[in-house]
Amino acid sequence: GVLIPHTPLRMSSGLGGLNKSPHGVVVGLCQLQLPVIETKDQLDAQVDRVCALVGKARRGSTSMDLVVFPEYMLHGLSMDVCDEIMCERDGPIVARLRAACVQHKIWGCFSIMERNPAAPESPFNSGLIFDADGNEVLYYRKLHPWVPVEPWAPGDLGVPVVDGPNGCKLALIICHDGMFPEMARECAYKGAEIMLRTAGYTAPIRDSWVFTNQANAFQNLMCTASVCMSGSDGTFDSMGEGMFCNFDGGIITRGGGRPDEIITCELRPDLVREARLGWGVENNIYQLGHRAYVAVQGGARDCPYTFMHDLVAGKYRLPWEGQGKHTDGRSR
C-alpha cells in the first residue's frame, strides 16, 4: 500500500475573518502612522486618531474581535520622558481608549508611556487590553526595554495571561521582549494560545522581526500576532509589518508598510489546543520538561541549564562579563 502522510493541523486566515468559524478569534493589527508628539495638545489629537481607527476597525470588519495598536501609538519614537505627555493607567487618556471599545463593541489593545511616581525620569512602557464592555482584562509593563536606547523602567508585573475573546488564552509582550525566547515560553507555559507583540521597530530590525515571530510561535505551539508602527516621522521610519504566525511557525498573513492599514486574520485557538494535546514530534513546550520520555518514564524532569540556575540565584554572568562596551546609561 501507499503510505499517506498525516496532514498537519493548519489554519487559514479565514479571508481575514470574512468567514469566521465558531471557534475563531478575528484580530486586526493596525499599522499606525508614526506620529510626532511633543505637547499635550498633540497627545490629545493622537488619542482622537487612535479612537477613530478603532471605529474604522469595526466598520471594516463586523466579525473582528480585537484590534491591536503598536507600541508608541501615543508617544512616537522620541523617547521623550516629559511629564506633559505621560499617561496614567486610570487617567483621562486611557478612559477615552476604553470608551472607544465600548462605543464600537470591540476589544482593544493599546500602548501608553506610564508615569512612574517612584522614578519620574524612568516611566513604564505599558500595555492595556480592554474588552468590548470597557473592562480592563490585561495590564502589562514591558520587561525588556530596548537598551541602551530606551529609558523606560523594567517591568515589575510579570507576564499576565488572560481569558480573551471567544474563550482564547491571550498574552501581550512588547517589542524587544520578543527577542528573548524566554518571554514567549513564559506566555505559553502559563497557557497563552495567542501572543500579541506590539512594537515601534524600524526597518533595520525587519529580518529579526520576522524570524523571531515565527520561532516564538513554533517553539511554543502558539499563534503570534505582531505589529509595528508604520511610516516616517521625518527622522525615523517604522516598518509596519503586521504579521500572524501559525502555531507551526508558518506565516498565515503578513502586511507591508502602508500606514494605518489594518491587517486582519482569523486565529484558531482550538487548533492550538488540539496540537498541544496531539503532537508528539516537535511538541517542544511539553518536551522541555519531559526530556527523553521514550527512554525515561515520564521524561527527565531535572533542569540541566546553567543559565537558569544562575539567573534564579542572582548570579547570571557571561564568560565575557565586564568586557562589553554598552552596559550602562543611554546611547543618546
Side-chain angles (χ1 to χ4, degrees):
V2 178
L3 179 63
I4 300 175
H6 171 66
T7 301
L9 298 171
R10 182 78 181 186
M11 68 182 75
S12 73
S13 72
L15 297 181
L18 292 176
N19 297 304
K20 185 178 179 181
S21 77
H23 304 292
V25 176
V26 178
V27 179
L29 302 175
C30 184
Q31 299 178 164
L32 183 67
Q33 168 66 48
L34 180 61
V36 174
I37 306 296
E38 297 172 335
T39 68
K40 179 64 164 59
D41 287 345
Q42 289 174 323
L43 174 64
D44 285 337
Q46 184 67 6
V47 177
D48 287 341
R49 284 202 74 245
V50 170
C51 291
L53 285 164
V54 173
K56 174 189 174 183
R58 170 50 74 228
R59 293 191 303 274
S61 172
T62 57
S63 64
M64 189 181 297
D65 296 293
L66 167 66
V67 60
V68 180
F69 289 87
E71 178 193 34
Y72 293 118
M73 69 174 205
L74 300 181
H75 193 272
L77 294 179
S78 69
M79 307 301 155
D80 191 347
V81 298
C82 172
D83 184 72
E84 183 181 17
I85 58 173
M86 295 297 107
C87 300
E88 294 176 343
R89 176 187 182 188
D90 298 317
I93 296 294
V94 171
R96 289 160 65 186
L97 301 173
R98 186 193 301 259
C101 292
V102 175
Q103 178 184 352
H104 299 290
K105 295 300 180 186
I106 194 169
W107 290 54
C109 176
F110 305 105
S111 164
I112 63 171
M113 301 301 121
E114 181 190 4
R115 286 188 181 90
N116 181 1
E121 72 283 359
S122 300
F124 290 105
N125 182 334
S126 301
L128 295 158
I129 296 179
F130 301 109
D131 68 15
D133 296 318
N135 301 305
E136 181 190 286
V137 295
L138 186 147
Y139 170 50
Y140 168 67
R141 289 171 169 170
K142 186 177 185 178
L143 283 181
H144 293 278
W146 195 45
V147 294
V149 174
E150 293 183 340
W152 319 123
D156 56 1
L157 302 175
V159 184
V161 173
V162 300
D163 293 328
N166 208 13
C168 75
K169 294 293 184 181
L170 186 66
L172 167 67
I173 65 173
I174 299 175
C175 200
H176 190 50
D177 284 336
M179 299 301 186
F180 298 86
E182 296 81 6
M183 289 292 300
R185 180 57 48 82
E186 177 75 357
C187 293
Y189 185 73
K190 296 173 75 172
E193 297 152 350
I194 299 171
M195 185 185 78
L196 308 177
R197 182 186 185 189
T198 63
Y201 273 141
T202 53
I205 312 297
R206 180 174 283 111
D207 286 349
S208 305
W209 171 254
V210 173
F211 62 65
T212 54
N213 290 334
Q214 292 186 263
N216 286 336
F218 171 67
Q219 292 171 352
N220 297 287
L221 293 181
M222 176 173 65
C223 294
T224 60
S226 312
V227 67
C228 297
M229 297 295 293
S230 187
S232 178
D233 63 2
T235 301
F236 300 107
D237 294 295
S238 283
M239 61 187 184
E241 290 287 338
M243 63 183 300
F244 295 90
C245 295
N246 193 15
F247 55 81
D248 65 359
I251 296 173
I252 309 171
T253 301
R254 181 176 177 182
R258 184 159 70 86
D260 292 345
E261 183 178 5
I262 300 175
I263 313 302
T264 61
C265 182
E266 180 188 39
L267 299 175
R268 292 285 303 275
D270 59 313
L271 297 183
V272 171
R273 294 173 206 134
E274 186 175 337
R276 286 176 172 176
L277 295 178
W279 275 30
V281 171
E282 299 299 343
N283 193 333
N284 301 305
I285 181 67
Y286 177 79
Q287 293 172 12
L288 179 67
H290 303 81
R291 292 181 298 116
Y293 63 67
V294 174
V296 178
Q297 186 172 4
R301 306 297 299 275
D302 62 308
C303 179
Y305 304 108
T306 304
F307 84 94
M308 290 185 181
H309 290 286
D310 287 354
L311 191 62
V312 169
K315 299 188 300 182
Y316 184 90
R317 184 177 177 83
L318 299 168
W320 56 93
E321 195 88 12
Q323 299 177 45
K325 294 180 180 179
H326 302 285
T327 59
D328 195 13
R330 296 182 62 192
S331 67
R332 57 195 175 106

